[in-house]
Amino acid sequence: MSTINVNVVTPDGAVYEGDVEMVSARSQSGELGILPGHIPLVAPLSVGAVRLNYESRVHLVAVNGGFVEVRPDSVTILAESAETPSQIDVDRARRAKERAEDRIERAKQEEINYKRAQLALQRAVTRIEVAGE
Amino acid sequence: MASLREIKNRIGSTRKTKQITKAMEMVSASKLNRAQTNSQSYEPYTRKIREVVAGIASGNSGATHPMLEERPVKKTAYIMIFSDQGLAGGYNANLLRSFMDQVAARHSSSDEYGVIVLGRIGRDLLKRRGIPVMDEITGLPDEPDFQDIKNITRLAVNMYKEEEIDQLYIWYNHFISAIQQEVKETKLLPLTDIGEGRDAAAQSYEYEPSEEAILEQLLPQYAESLIFGALLDAKASEFGARMTAMSAASDNADDIIDDLTLSYNRARQAAVTQEISEIVGGAAALE
């Protein structure tokens, strides 16, 4: 089966690089599935797990926002931060989740804090999800 | 001439100073190494973002964004990257001097500009000179994370969006080599020159959901990445400058120790000679 080259790049260096058969990511306008030979595309991503299918196995990468650039033979994901399962500190993510939930409870009246807490919660949940697989 | 004991003490204390400067030189050398590695591993990220932004900006789609367009300049903001610690030779002084020259030429009153300053030394220098400081970050780690300066980058980009400022420049020491750094000014906003000479790279992308929406997200991210890139560059320069300054200090200490040793030996010799002539004189008087 043909493959497509994937790069996940963050300000602290490359997080993942390799050839995969399919990339699935959640963009801000919906779920994206990318196979080799996709037309050139640029789309912003929301916080979530990116799934990389390779030899009937699924690799997960937790991605915090950013965007994806697709060319027929390569996919580049640029995010402020990203982690593979082995890089995630699960305990820390759990604590972050509790903190965020707590803050959401208290901060429903304040619009900005609420949004920030929600984003933090999303990041924590994504990390736990990715690490748990 | 100083007494033997005094000279000996001075040699001892100079030697101890040299030990310290030597250690600082080596510490800076290893930090420089790491700073350079960080700077290099960051490079692909900026380049990628730049490519995509340039692709959109140079496309003939007519997509525009306030961050890409010049507007009449009423207020200019400068981000300046200084160090938190001294003992780095001319690192901070050079930056400040070039900046003061430029500001005097460009602005007639201090209402026309403001500075966002990184680094304790820079903050103190600017405040002493009465330059308007908009915001400051001090105590950045030697290997900064993107998160460490996020507040500042957000603040600067938002001020531009809200039209509180109409131009944003960044000033820092660009790393050329361990012994050479160069004060550099880069214009961050508006991003007017981004599409230049890039038509070969311009692919016809599909934009999901729309070009405007992507620019809306991408341009702030790009501006932030430029600031962070400059910070990494400046950190490498700082350690380079400190290493060079400390190595010069160690060399100077060597020179001083040599001089002092010479005068110590002369003084010792003089004392011995004097003693002999006293003995000889005493013996002659007895005859």
Side-chain angles (χ1 to χ4, degrees):
Chain A
M1 197 163 164
S2 59
T3 57
I4 186 163
N5 185 261
V6 179
N7 267 303
V8 180
V9 187
T10 72
D12 302 318
V15 172
Y16 183 94
E17 189 180 3
D19 295 320
V20 303
E21 284 152 9
M22 184 171 110
V23 182
S24 338
R26 201 183 311 144
S27 83
Q28 285 178 355
S29 47
E31 192 79 17
L32 269 178
I34 300 155
L35 291 168
H38 198 284
I39 53 165
L41 169 87
V42 173
L45 294 177
S46 48
V47 178
V50 171
R51 290 193 302 283
L52 307 162
N53 293 53
Y54 179 60
E55 285 178 348
S56 70
R57 288 230 312 272
V58 182
H59 295 269
L60 288 173
V61 180
V63 172
N64 170 18
F67 64 98
V68 60
E69 183 212 19
V70 182
R71 294 185 185 181
D73 57 345
S74 71
V75 175
T76 309
I77 293 171
L78 290 167
E80 277 177 23
S81 71
E83 290 117 356
T84 56
S86 57
Q87 293 164 334
I88 293 175
D89 182 344
V90 181
D91 287 337
R92 198 179 143 200
R94 288 229 171 82
R95 284 200 300 278
K97 183 179 169 223
E98 277 163 26
R99 234 181 7 250
E101 281 169 346
D102 187 43
R103 218 170 287 157
I104 286 176
E105 275 307 306
R106 281 189 286 118
K108 273 189 174 138
Q109 57 273 47
E110 281 174 79
E111 183 66 6
I112 303 169
N113 276 343
Y114 182 60
K115 261 189 193 153
R116 265 178 58 183
Q118 240 178 352
L119 273 176
L121 177 63
Q122 227 171 342
R123 280 198 298 270
V125 169
T126 304
R127 286 197 176 115
I128 293 170
E129 218 173 87
V130 167
E133 287 280 336
Chain B
M1 189 180 283
S3 77
L4 278 180
R5 182 196 288 271
E6 264 170 41
I7 298 177
K8 202 165 193 179
N9 281 344
R10 279 190 62 195
I11 293 179
S13 77
T14 313
R15 227 176 235 140
K16 280 191 182 123
T17 311
K18 188 191 145 190
Q19 242 172 17
I20 294 172
T21 55
K22 194 90 197 165
M24 283 178 76
E25 179 192 342
M26 283 187 302
V27 169
S28 301
S30 91
K31 282 185 179 170
L32 168 65
N33 231 326
R34 253 177 291 161
Q36 270 181 293
T37 323
N38 286 347
S39 187
Q40 271 160 13
S41 67
Y42 179 68
E43 167 64 23
Y45 180 79
T46 329
R47 199 182 37 216
K48 259 289 156 199
I49 294 197
R50 193 186 168 87
E51 252 174 54
V52 176
V53 174
I56 299 177
S58 62
N60 45 9
S61 59
T64 58
H65 189 275
M67 282 169 77
L68 290 172
E69 279 170 12
E70 297 251 26
R71 59 185 182 224
V73 178
K74 287 197 279 304
K75 186 152 185 167
T76 309
Y78 299 95
I79 297 179
M80 300 192 69
I81 305 178
F82 289 96
S83 67
D84 275 321
Q85 287 161 348
L87 296 176
Y91 180 82
N92 292 304
N94 286 345
L95 188 62
L96 186 71
R97 189 172 339 107
S98 320
F99 179 71
M100 295 303 283
D101 289 350
Q102 277 298 320
V103 162
R106 276 187 211 171
H107 303 291
S108 50
S109 92
S110 62
D111 296 337
E112 290 176 10
Y113 67 96
V115 178
I116 298 172
V117 61
L118 279 73
R120 195 171 51 78
I121 299 228
R123 179 196 65 192
D124 296 347
L125 283 172
L126 291 177
K127 284 201 170 150
R128 206 174 307 144
R129 268 157 223 249
I131 290 175
V133 173
M134 292 165 145
D135 204 346
E136 57 184 60
I137 293 190
T138 55
L140 277 177
D142 291 335
E143 295 179 67
D145 282 334
F146 200 58
Q147 310 298 329
D148 293 330
I149 57 154
K150 217 163 160 183
N151 287 340
I152 283 262
T153 56
R154 284 279 136 87
L155 173 83
V157 171
N158 275 336
M159 278 201 298
Y160 184 82
K161 267 197 206 151
E162 309 286 328
E163 309 208 1
E164 280 170 40
I165 55 171
D166 307 296
Q167 266 183 330
L168 179 64
Y169 289 90
I170 188 161
W171 283 71
Y172 63 101
N173 281 293
H174 171 56
F175 181 83
I176 297 172
S177 71
I179 50 163
Q180 204 184 356
Q181 296 88 32
E182 177 188 75
V183 175
K184 199 167 165 182
E185 176 185 34
T186 310
K187 187 178 183 183
L188 288 177
L189 293 173
L191 296 157
T192 41
D193 56 349
I194 189 157
E196 269 171 27
R198 290 256 161 185
D199 46 355
Q203 289 213 12
S204 47
Y205 285 108
E206 285 284 314
Y207 296 103
E208 187 73 36
S210 69
E211 300 196 353
E212 272 84 1
I214 289 186
L215 285 180
E216 186 63 43
Q217 176 167 3
L218 203 51
L219 287 177
Q221 205 179 339
Y222 178 59
E224 287 172 13
S225 79
L226 286 179
I227 297 174
F228 187 62
L231 175 66
L232 291 180
D233 195 351
K235 278 283 171 194
S237 305
E238 182 189 332
F239 296 129
R242 183 161 300 133
M243 191 180 108
T244 314
M246 286 302 111
S247 128
S250 305
D251 290 350
N252 284 340
D254 271 336
D255 289 348
I256 291 177
I257 290 172
D258 283 352
D259 283 352
L260 287 176
T261 312
L262 198 64
S263 38
Y264 177 79
N265 286 338
R266 276 209 190 109
R268 189 172 52 83
Q269 219 166 14
V272 170
T273 313
Q274 200 184 350
E275 213 172 310
I276 289 174
S277 63
E278 272 166 14
I279 292 170
V280 171
L286 285 179
E287 277 171 12

